[in-house]
PDB file of all heavy atoms in Angstrom:
ATOM      1  N   LYS X   1       2.680  14.858   9.044  1.00  0.00           N
ATOM      2  CA  LYS X   1       3.273  15.256   7.764  1.00  0.00           C
ATOM      3  C   LYS X   1       3.344  14.101   6.753  1.00  0.00           C
ATOM      4  O   LYS X   1       3.587  14.340   5.561  1.00  0.00           O
ATOM      5  CB  LYS X   1       4.679  15.812   7.983  1.00  0.00           C
ATOM      6  CG  LYS X   1       5.676  14.816   8.551  1.00  0.00           C
ATOM      7  CD  LYS X   1       7.041  15.437   8.744  1.00  0.00           C
ATOM      8  CE  LYS X   1       8.045  14.429   9.323  1.00  0.00           C
ATOM      9  NZ  LYS X   1       9.382  15.034   9.487  1.00  0.00           N
ATOM     10  N   ASN X   2       3.105  12.866   7.210  1.00  0.00           N
ATOM     11  CA  ASN X   2       3.260  11.699   6.326  1.00  0.00           C
ATOM     12  C   ASN X   2       1.973  10.916   6.117  1.00  0.00           C
ATOM     13  O   ASN X   2       1.936  10.021   5.275  1.00  0.00           O
ATOM     14  CB  ASN X   2       4.307  10.734   6.911  1.00  0.00           C
ATOM     15  CG  ASN X   2       5.645  11.390   7.143  1.00  0.00           C
ATOM     16  OD1 ASN X   2       6.078  12.227   6.366  1.00  0.00           O
ATOM     17  ND2 ASN X   2       6.313  11.016   8.221  1.00  0.00           N
ATOM     18  N   ARG X   3       0.934  11.213   6.882  1.00  0.00           N
ATOM     19  CA  ARG X   3      -0.218  10.305   6.943  1.00  0.00           C
ATOM     20  C   ARG X   3      -1.175  10.389   5.748  1.00  0.00           C
ATOM     21  O   ARG X   3      -1.972   9.500   5.528  1.00  0.00           O
ATOM     22  CB  ARG X   3      -0.992  10.554   8.230  1.00  0.00           C
ATOM     23  CG  ARG X   3      -1.684  11.912   8.282  1.00  0.00           C
ATOM     24  CD  ARG X   3      -2.489  12.058   9.560  1.00  0.00           C
ATOM     25  NE  ARG X   3      -3.192  13.324   9.623  1.00  0.00           N
ATOM     26  CZ  ARG X   3      -2.942  14.269  10.505  1.00  0.00           C
ATOM     27  NH1 ARG X   3      -1.975  14.090  11.394  1.00  0.00           N
ATOM     28  NH2 ARG X   3      -3.627  15.392  10.508  1.00  0.00           N
ATOM     29  N   ILE X   4      -1.110  11.463   4.976  1.00  0.00           N
ATOM     30  CA  ILE X   4      -2.086  11.659   3.886  1.00  0.00           C
ATOM     31  C   ILE X   4      -1.576  11.050   2.594  1.00  0.00           C
ATOM     32  O   ILE X   4      -0.396  11.131   2.258  1.00  0.00           O
ATOM     33  CB  ILE X   4      -2.360  13.160   3.687  1.00  0.00           C
ATOM     34  CG1 ILE X   4      -3.033  13.747   4.942  1.00  0.00           C
ATOM     35  CG2 ILE X   4      -3.257  13.400   2.473  1.00  0.00           C
ATOM     36  CD1 ILE X   4      -3.238  15.244   4.907  1.00  0.00           C
ATOM     37  N   TYR X   5      -2.462  10.398   1.867  1.00  0.00           N
ATOM     38  CA  TYR X   5      -2.114   9.852   0.557  1.00  0.00           C
ATOM     39  C   TYR X   5      -3.291  10.017  -0.402  1.00  0.00           C
ATOM     40  O   TYR X   5      -4.438  10.128   0.022  1.00  0.00           O
ATOM     41  CB  TYR X   5      -1.698   8.380   0.675  1.00  0.00           C
ATOM     42  CG  TYR X   5      -2.830   7.393   0.951  1.00  0.00           C
ATOM     43  CD1 TYR X   5      -3.424   6.683  -0.084  1.00  0.00           C
ATOM     44  CD2 TYR X   5      -3.299   7.167   2.257  1.00  0.00           C
ATOM     45  CE1 TYR X   5      -4.445   5.771   0.164  1.00  0.00           C
ATOM     46  CE2 TYR X   5      -4.309   6.269   2.504  1.00  0.00           C
ATOM     47  CZ  TYR X   5      -4.880   5.560   1.454  1.00  0.00           C
ATOM     48  OH  TYR X   5      -5.904   4.665   1.693  1.00  0.00           O
ATOM     49  N   ARG X   6      -2.979  10.012  -1.688  1.00  0.00           N
ATOM     50  CA  ARG X   6      -4.003  10.190  -2.724  1.00  0.00           C
ATOM     51  C   ARG X   6      -4.674   8.842  -2.993  1.00  0.00           C
ATOM     52  O   ARG X   6      -4.072   7.911  -3.490  1.00  0.00           O
ATOM     53  CB  ARG X   6      -3.380  10.769  -3.988  1.00  0.00           C
ATOM     54  CG  ARG X   6      -4.338  10.970  -5.159  1.00  0.00           C
ATOM     55  CD  ARG X   6      -5.533  11.859  -4.839  1.00  0.00           C
ATOM     56  NE  ARG X   6      -5.192  13.099  -4.177  1.00  0.00           N
ATOM     57  CZ  ARG X   6      -4.800  14.204  -4.817  1.00  0.00           C
ATOM     58  NH1 ARG X   6      -4.677  14.211  -6.126  1.00  0.00           N
ATOM     59  NH2 ARG X   6      -4.528  15.298  -4.135  1.00  0.00           N
ATOM     60  N   TYR X   7      -5.936   8.753  -2.633  1.00  0.00           N
ATOM     61  CA  TYR X   7      -6.687   7.509  -2.728  1.00  0.00           C
ATOM     62  C   TYR X   7      -6.994   7.150  -4.183  1.00  0.00           C
ATOM     63  O   TYR X   7      -7.308   7.997  -5.003  1.00  0.00           O
ATOM     64  CB  TYR X   7      -8.005   7.672  -1.957  1.00  0.00           C
ATOM     65  CG  TYR X   7      -8.942   6.496  -2.001  1.00  0.00           C
ATOM     66  CD1 TYR X   7      -8.758   5.412  -1.173  1.00  0.00           C
ATOM     67  CD2 TYR X   7     -10.021   6.498  -2.878  1.00  0.00           C
ATOM     68  CE1 TYR X   7      -9.626   4.336  -1.191  1.00  0.00           C
ATOM     69  CE2 TYR X   7     -10.917   5.431  -2.901  1.00  0.00           C
ATOM     70  CZ  TYR X   7     -10.706   4.347  -2.065  1.00  0.00           C
ATOM     71  OH  TYR X   7     -11.576   3.293  -2.097  1.00  0.00           O
ATOM     72  N   ASN X   8      -6.876   5.851  -4.477  1.00  0.00           N
ATOM     73  CA  ASN X   8      -7.236   5.324  -5.790  1.00  0.00           C
ATOM     74  C   ASN X   8      -7.988   4.035  -5.533  1.00  0.00           C
ATOM     75  O   ASN X   8      -7.446   3.083  -4.959  1.00  0.00           O
ATOM     76  CB  ASN X   8      -5.981   5.078  -6.627  1.00  0.00           C
ATOM     77  CG  ASN X   8      -6.294   4.591  -8.035  1.00  0.00           C
ATOM     78  OD1 ASN X   8      -6.978   3.582  -8.215  1.00  0.00           O
ATOM     79  ND2 ASN X   8      -5.790   5.298  -9.033  1.00  0.00           N
ATOM     80  N   PHE X   9      -9.237   3.963  -5.981  1.00  0.00           N
ATOM     81  CA  PHE X   9     -10.127   2.871  -5.604  1.00  0.00           C
ATOM     82  C   PHE X   9      -9.555   1.505  -5.957  1.00  0.00           C
ATOM     83  O   PHE X   9      -9.640   0.555  -5.167  1.00  0.00           O
ATOM     84  CB  PHE X   9     -11.489   3.053  -6.262  1.00  0.00           C
ATOM     85  CG  PHE X   9     -12.477   1.972  -5.892  1.00  0.00           C
ATOM     86  CD1 PHE X   9     -13.092   1.989  -4.645  1.00  0.00           C
ATOM     87  CD2 PHE X   9     -12.787   0.948  -6.773  1.00  0.00           C
ATOM     88  CE1 PHE X   9     -13.992   0.995  -4.282  1.00  0.00           C
ATOM     89  CE2 PHE X   9     -13.680  -0.049  -6.415  1.00  0.00           C
ATOM     90  CZ  PHE X   9     -14.282  -0.022  -5.174  1.00  0.00           C
ATOM     91  N   PHE X  10      -8.975   1.373  -7.128  1.00  0.00           N
ATOM     92  CA  PHE X  10      -8.491   0.071  -7.569  1.00  0.00           C
ATOM     93  C   PHE X  10      -7.038  -0.207  -7.170  1.00  0.00           C
ATOM     94  O   PHE X  10      -6.681  -1.355  -6.910  1.00  0.00           O
ATOM     95  CB  PHE X  10      -8.592  -0.054  -9.103  1.00  0.00           C
ATOM     96  CG  PHE X  10      -9.994  -0.208  -9.605  1.00  0.00           C
ATOM     97  CD1 PHE X  10     -10.528   0.686 -10.525  1.00  0.00           C
ATOM     98  CD2 PHE X  10     -10.796  -1.253  -9.168  1.00  0.00           C
ATOM     99  CE1 PHE X  10     -11.829   0.541 -10.996  1.00  0.00           C
ATOM    100  CE2 PHE X  10     -12.096  -1.398  -9.621  1.00  0.00           C
ATOM    101  CZ  PHE X  10     -12.605  -0.507 -10.543  1.00  0.00           C
ATOM    102  N   PHE X  11      -6.195   0.823  -7.135  1.00  0.00           N
ATOM    103  CA  PHE X  11      -4.769   0.562  -7.059  1.00  0.00           C
ATOM    104  C   PHE X  11      -4.057   1.139  -5.843  1.00  0.00           C
ATOM    105  O   PHE X  11      -2.885   0.856  -5.638  1.00  0.00           O
ATOM    106  CB  PHE X  11      -4.090   1.088  -8.342  1.00  0.00           C
ATOM    107  CG  PHE X  11      -4.699   0.538  -9.590  1.00  0.00           C
ATOM    108  CD1 PHE X  11      -5.374   1.367 -10.483  1.00  0.00           C
ATOM    109  CD2 PHE X  11      -4.640  -0.815  -9.874  1.00  0.00           C
ATOM    110  CE1 PHE X  11      -5.944   0.864 -11.638  1.00  0.00           C
ATOM    111  CE2 PHE X  11      -5.211  -1.337 -11.025  1.00  0.00           C
ATOM    112  CZ  PHE X  11      -5.873  -0.510 -11.919  1.00  0.00           C
ATOM    113  N   ASP X  12      -4.754   1.915  -5.019  1.00  0.00           N
ATOM    114  CA  ASP X  12      -4.110   2.464  -3.815  1.00  0.00           C
ATOM    115  C   ASP X  12      -5.189   2.758  -2.780  1.00  0.00           C
ATOM    116  O   ASP X  12      -5.664   3.892  -2.670  1.00  0.00           O
ATOM    117  CB  ASP X  12      -3.334   3.732  -4.166  1.00  0.00           C
ATOM    118  CG  ASP X  12      -2.323   4.121  -3.095  1.00  0.00           C
ATOM    119  OD1 ASP X  12      -2.323   3.492  -2.028  1.00  0.00           O
ATOM    120  OD2 ASP X  12      -1.533   5.053  -3.331  1.00  0.00           O
ATOM    121  N   ASN X  13      -5.539   1.751  -2.009  1.00  0.00           N
ATOM    122  CA  ASN X  13      -6.641   1.910  -1.066  1.00  0.00           C
ATOM    123  C   ASN X  13      -6.317   1.228   0.263  1.00  0.00           C
ATOM    124  O   ASN X  13      -5.172   0.869   0.540  1.00  0.00           O
ATOM    125  CB  ASN X  13      -7.947   1.386  -1.673  1.00  0.00           C
ATOM    126  CG  ASN X  13      -7.907  -0.121  -1.926  1.00  0.00           C
ATOM    127  OD1 ASN X  13      -7.012  -0.833  -1.465  1.00  0.00           O
ATOM    128  ND2 ASN X  13      -8.882  -0.616  -2.664  1.00  0.00           N
ATOM    129  N   CYS X  14      -7.338   0.999   1.071  1.00  0.00           N
ATOM    130  CA  CYS X  14      -7.133   0.466   2.423  1.00  0.00           C
ATOM    131  C   CYS X  14      -6.632  -0.973   2.413  1.00  0.00           C
ATOM    132  O   CYS X  14      -6.123  -1.455   3.434  1.00  0.00           O
ATOM    133  CB  CYS X  14      -8.437   0.545   3.215  1.00  0.00           C
ATOM    134  SG  CYS X  14      -9.693  -0.662   2.702  1.00  0.00           S
ATOM    135  N   ALA X  15      -6.775  -1.674   1.305  1.00  0.00           N
ATOM    136  CA  ALA X  15      -6.290  -3.050   1.211  1.00  0.00           C
ATOM    137  C   ALA X  15      -4.925  -3.135   0.537  1.00  0.00           C
ATOM    138  O   ALA X  15      -4.056  -3.891   0.976  1.00  0.00           O
ATOM    139  CB  ALA X  15      -7.298  -3.908   0.455  1.00  0.00           C
ATOM    140  N   THR X  16      -4.733  -2.377  -0.529  1.00  0.00           N
ATOM    141  CA  THR X  16      -3.448  -2.440  -1.243  1.00  0.00           C
ATOM    142  C   THR X  16      -2.309  -1.847  -0.417  1.00  0.00           C
ATOM    143  O   THR X  16      -1.174  -2.311  -0.527  1.00  0.00           O
ATOM    144  CB  THR X  16      -3.533  -1.701  -2.587  1.00  0.00           C
ATOM    145  OG1 THR X  16      -3.805  -0.315  -2.368  1.00  0.00           O
ATOM    146  CG2 THR X  16      -4.631  -2.295  -3.470  1.00  0.00           C
ATOM    147  N   ARG X  17      -2.595  -0.856   0.415  1.00  0.00           N
ATOM    148  CA  ARG X  17      -1.535  -0.254   1.243  1.00  0.00           C
ATOM    149  C   ARG X  17      -0.944  -1.272   2.235  1.00  0.00           C
ATOM    150  O   ARG X  17       0.273  -1.434   2.296  1.00  0.00           O
ATOM    151  CB  ARG X  17      -2.080   0.963   1.978  1.00  0.00           C
ATOM    152  CG  ARG X  17      -2.228   2.192   1.097  1.00  0.00           C
ATOM    153  CD  ARG X  17      -1.101   3.172   1.325  1.00  0.00           C
ATOM    154  NE  ARG X  17      -0.972   4.110   0.231  1.00  0.00           N
ATOM    155  CZ  ARG X  17      -0.162   5.163   0.249  1.00  0.00           C
ATOM    156  NH1 ARG X  17       0.600   5.381   1.300  1.00  0.00           N
ATOM    157  NH2 ARG X  17      -0.067   5.956  -0.798  1.00  0.00           N
ATOM    158  N   PRO X  18      -1.760  -1.955   3.057  1.00  0.00           N
ATOM    159  CA  PRO X  18      -1.188  -2.971   3.939  1.00  0.00           C
ATOM    160  C   PRO X  18      -0.438  -4.062   3.182  1.00  0.00           C
ATOM    161  O   PRO X  18       0.630  -4.510   3.613  1.00  0.00           O
ATOM    162  CB  PRO X  18      -2.422  -3.539   4.659  1.00  0.00           C
ATOM    163  CG  PRO X  18      -3.394  -2.409   4.654  1.00  0.00           C
ATOM    164  CD  PRO X  18      -3.202  -1.739   3.328  1.00  0.00           C
ATOM    165  N   ARG X  19      -1.001  -4.497   2.064  1.00  0.00           N
ATOM    166  CA  ARG X  19      -0.319  -5.524   1.264  1.00  0.00           C
ATOM    167  C   ARG X  19       1.060  -5.055   0.826  1.00  0.00           C
ATOM    168  O   ARG X  19       2.064  -5.768   0.970  1.00  0.00           O
ATOM    169  CB  ARG X  19      -1.156  -5.873   0.033  1.00  0.00           C
ATOM    170  CG  ARG X  19      -0.517  -6.902  -0.898  1.00  0.00           C
ATOM    171  CD  ARG X  19      -1.085  -6.781  -2.299  1.00  0.00           C
ATOM    172  NE  ARG X  19      -0.787  -5.492  -2.900  1.00  0.00           N
ATOM    173  CZ  ARG X  19      -1.381  -5.030  -3.996  1.00  0.00           C
ATOM    174  NH1 ARG X  19      -2.326  -5.746  -4.596  1.00  0.00           N
ATOM    175  NH2 ARG X  19      -1.060  -3.841  -4.501  1.00  0.00           N
ATOM    176  N   ASP X  20       1.129  -3.840   0.284  1.00  0.00           N
ATOM    177  CA  ASP X  20       2.399  -3.311  -0.216  1.00  0.00           C
ATOM    178  C   ASP X  20       3.417  -3.115   0.914  1.00  0.00           C
ATOM    179  O   ASP X  20       4.618  -3.334   0.723  1.00  0.00           O
ATOM    180  CB  ASP X  20       2.179  -2.001  -0.961  1.00  0.00           C
ATOM    181  CG  ASP X  20       1.354  -2.180  -2.232  1.00  0.00           C
ATOM    182  OD1 ASP X  20       1.218  -3.330  -2.685  1.00  0.00           O
ATOM    183  OD2 ASP X  20       0.856  -1.170  -2.757  1.00  0.00           O
ATOM    184  N   ILE X  21       2.926  -2.711   2.080  1.00  0.00           N
ATOM    185  CA  ILE X  21       3.824  -2.517   3.227  1.00  0.00           C
ATOM    186  C   ILE X  21       4.394  -3.861   3.686  1.00  0.00           C
ATOM    187  O   ILE X  21       5.592  -3.988   3.966  1.00  0.00           O
ATOM    188  CB  ILE X  21       3.073  -1.823   4.377  1.00  0.00           C
ATOM    189  CG1 ILE X  21       2.725  -0.377   3.973  1.00  0.00           C
ATOM    190  CG2 ILE X  21       3.906  -1.804   5.658  1.00  0.00           C
ATOM    191  CD1 ILE X  21       1.765   0.309   4.917  1.00  0.00           C
ATOM    192  N   ILE X  22       3.549  -4.858   3.755  1.00  0.00           N
ATOM    193  CA  ILE X  22       4.015  -6.198   4.141  1.00  0.00           C
ATOM    194  C   ILE X  22       5.059  -6.697   3.161  1.00  0.00           C
ATOM    195  O   ILE X  22       6.130  -7.196   3.544  1.00  0.00           O
ATOM    196  CB  ILE X  22       2.828  -7.176   4.229  1.00  0.00           C
ATOM    197  CG1 ILE X  22       1.885  -6.787   5.379  1.00  0.00           C
ATOM    198  CG2 ILE X  22       3.323  -8.610   4.414  1.00  0.00           C
ATOM    199  CD1 ILE X  22       0.578  -7.531   5.366  1.00  0.00           C
ATOM    200  N   GLU X  23       4.767  -6.549   1.865  1.00  0.00           N
ATOM    201  CA  GLU X  23       5.709  -7.016   0.841  1.00  0.00           C
ATOM    202  C   GLU X  23       7.045  -6.295   0.945  1.00  0.00           C
ATOM    203  O   GLU X  23       8.105  -6.877   0.689  1.00  0.00           O
ATOM    204  CB  GLU X  23       5.097  -6.812  -0.553  1.00  0.00           C
ATOM    205  CG  GLU X  23       3.941  -7.723  -0.863  1.00  0.00           C
ATOM    206  CD  GLU X  23       3.330  -7.464  -2.232  1.00  0.00           C
ATOM    207  OE1 GLU X  23       3.707  -6.455  -2.868  1.00  0.00           O
ATOM    208  OE2 GLU X  23       2.481  -8.249  -2.664  1.00  0.00           O
ATOM    209  N   LYS X  24       7.009  -5.033   1.306  1.00  0.00           N
ATOM    210  CA  LYS X  24       8.236  -4.233   1.371  1.00  0.00           C
ATOM    211  C   LYS X  24       9.104  -4.595   2.565  1.00  0.00           C
ATOM    212  O   LYS X  24      10.348  -4.598   2.456  1.00  0.00           O
ATOM    213  CB  LYS X  24       7.862  -2.746   1.430  1.00  0.00           C
ATOM    214  CG  LYS X  24       9.085  -1.816   1.496  1.00  0.00           C
ATOM    215  CD  LYS X  24       8.647  -0.351   1.511  1.00  0.00           C
ATOM    216  CE  LYS X  24       9.872   0.569   1.586  1.00  0.00           C
ATOM    217  NZ  LYS X  24       9.476   2.006   1.592  1.00  0.00           N
ATOM    218  N   TYR X  25       8.497  -4.931   3.701  1.00  0.00           N
ATOM    219  CA  TYR X  25       9.280  -5.090   4.925  1.00  0.00           C
ATOM    220  C   TYR X  25       9.559  -6.537   5.329  1.00  0.00           C
ATOM    221  O   TYR X  25      10.196  -6.774   6.353  1.00  0.00           O
ATOM    222  CB  TYR X  25       8.602  -4.334   6.069  1.00  0.00           C
ATOM    223  CG  TYR X  25       8.873  -2.857   5.962  1.00  0.00           C
ATOM    224  CD1 TYR X  25       7.989  -2.014   5.282  1.00  0.00           C
ATOM    225  CD2 TYR X  25      10.041  -2.298   6.452  1.00  0.00           C
ATOM    226  CE1 TYR X  25       8.250  -0.660   5.132  1.00  0.00           C
ATOM    227  CE2 TYR X  25      10.316  -0.949   6.306  1.00  0.00           C
ATOM    228  CZ  TYR X  25       9.419  -0.139   5.644  1.00  0.00           C
ATOM    229  OH  TYR X  25       9.706   1.207   5.470  1.00  0.00           O
ATOM    230  N   VAL X  26       9.128  -7.513   4.524  1.00  0.00           N
ATOM    231  CA  VAL X  26       9.576  -8.893   4.779  1.00  0.00           C
ATOM    232  C   VAL X  26      10.960  -9.069   4.157  1.00  0.00           C
ATOM    233  O   VAL X  26      11.281  -8.444   3.142  1.00  0.00           O
ATOM    234  CB  VAL X  26       8.589  -9.932   4.221  1.00  0.00           C
ATOM    235  CG1 VAL X  26       7.242  -9.818   4.895  1.00  0.00           C
ATOM    236  CG2 VAL X  26       8.450  -9.822   2.706  1.00  0.00           C
ATOM    237  N   ASP X  27      11.755  -9.902   4.779  1.00  0.00           N
ATOM    238  CA  ASP X  27      13.111 -10.170   4.295  1.00  0.00           C
ATOM    239  C   ASP X  27      13.036 -11.297   3.265  1.00  0.00           C
ATOM    240  O   ASP X  27      13.237 -12.470   3.577  1.00  0.00           O
ATOM    241  CB  ASP X  27      14.036 -10.561   5.446  1.00  0.00           C
ATOM    242  CG  ASP X  27      15.483 -10.725   5.003  1.00  0.00           C
ATOM    243  OD1 ASP X  27      15.802 -10.281   3.875  1.00  0.00           O
ATOM    244  OD2 ASP X  27      16.289 -11.304   5.752  1.00  0.00           O
ATOM    245  N   GLY X  28      12.729 -10.938   2.036  1.00  0.00           N
ATOM    246  CA  GLY X  28      12.522 -11.897   0.967  1.00  0.00           C
ATOM    247  C   GLY X  28      11.404 -11.408   0.063  1.00  0.00           C
ATOM    248  O   GLY X  28      11.028 -10.243   0.084  1.00  0.00           O
ATOM    249  N   LYS X  29      10.855 -12.332  -0.690  1.00  0.00           N
ATOM    250  CA  LYS X  29       9.785 -11.996  -1.609  1.00  0.00           C
ATOM    251  C   LYS X  29       8.528 -12.775  -1.245  1.00  0.00           C
ATOM    252  O   LYS X  29       8.593 -13.971  -0.946  1.00  0.00           O
ATOM    253  CB  LYS X  29      10.193 -12.347  -3.055  1.00  0.00           C
ATOM    254  CG  LYS X  29       9.139 -12.017  -4.087  1.00  0.00           C
ATOM    255  CD  LYS X  29       9.610 -12.404  -5.482  1.00  0.00           C
ATOM    256  CE  LYS X  29       8.518 -12.095  -6.519  1.00  0.00           C
ATOM    257  NZ  LYS X  29       8.935 -12.511  -7.881  1.00  0.00           N
ATOM    258  N   VAL X  30       7.410 -12.072  -1.257  1.00  0.00           N
ATOM    259  CA  VAL X  30       6.135 -12.743  -0.989  1.00  0.00           C
ATOM    260  C   VAL X  30       5.639 -13.371  -2.283  1.00  0.00           C
ATOM    261  O   VAL X  30       5.433 -12.674  -3.288  1.00  0.00           O
ATOM    262  CB  VAL X  30       5.091 -11.759  -0.447  1.00  0.00           C
ATOM    263  CG1 VAL X  30       3.752 -12.480  -0.231  1.00  0.00           C
ATOM    264  CG2 VAL X  30       5.566 -11.131   0.851  1.00  0.00           C
ATOM    265  N   GLU X  31       5.469 -14.687  -2.259  1.00  0.00           N
ATOM    266  CA  GLU X  31       4.936 -15.390  -3.417  1.00  0.00           C
ATOM    267  C   GLU X  31       3.567 -15.939  -3.061  1.00  0.00           C
ATOM    268  O   GLU X  31       3.403 -16.640  -2.055  1.00  0.00           O
ATOM    269  CB  GLU X  31       5.879 -16.521  -3.833  1.00  0.00           C
ATOM    270  CG  GLU X  31       7.182 -16.022  -4.442  1.00  0.00           C
ATOM    271  CD  GLU X  31       8.001 -17.137  -5.086  1.00  0.00           C
ATOM    272  OE1 GLU X  31       7.578 -18.329  -4.967  1.00  0.00           O
ATOM    273  OE2 GLU X  31       9.042 -16.832  -5.686  1.00  0.00           O
TER     274      GLU X  31
END
């Protein structure tokens, strides 16, 4: 029920998703 997402070549893809997840779940800010 959660696995599907609307793909966007530049702004929401196989690389930006892992990056955003890492940034969200670290305790602090990724610089």
Side-chain angles (χ1 to χ4, degrees):
K1 63 180 180 179
N2 304 323
R3 67 178 182 245
I4 296 175
Y5 73 97
R6 179 57 48 84
Y7 177 81
N8 183 304
F9 182 76
F10 288 123
F11 305 114
D12 197 353
N13 65 12
C14 73
T16 62
R17 284 258 161 172
R19 178 203 63 194
D20 294 345
I21 292 169
I22 293 169
E23 291 178 350
K24 180 178 180 180
Y25 283 92
V26 297
D27 185 14
K29 181 181 179 182
V30 178
E31 290 190 355

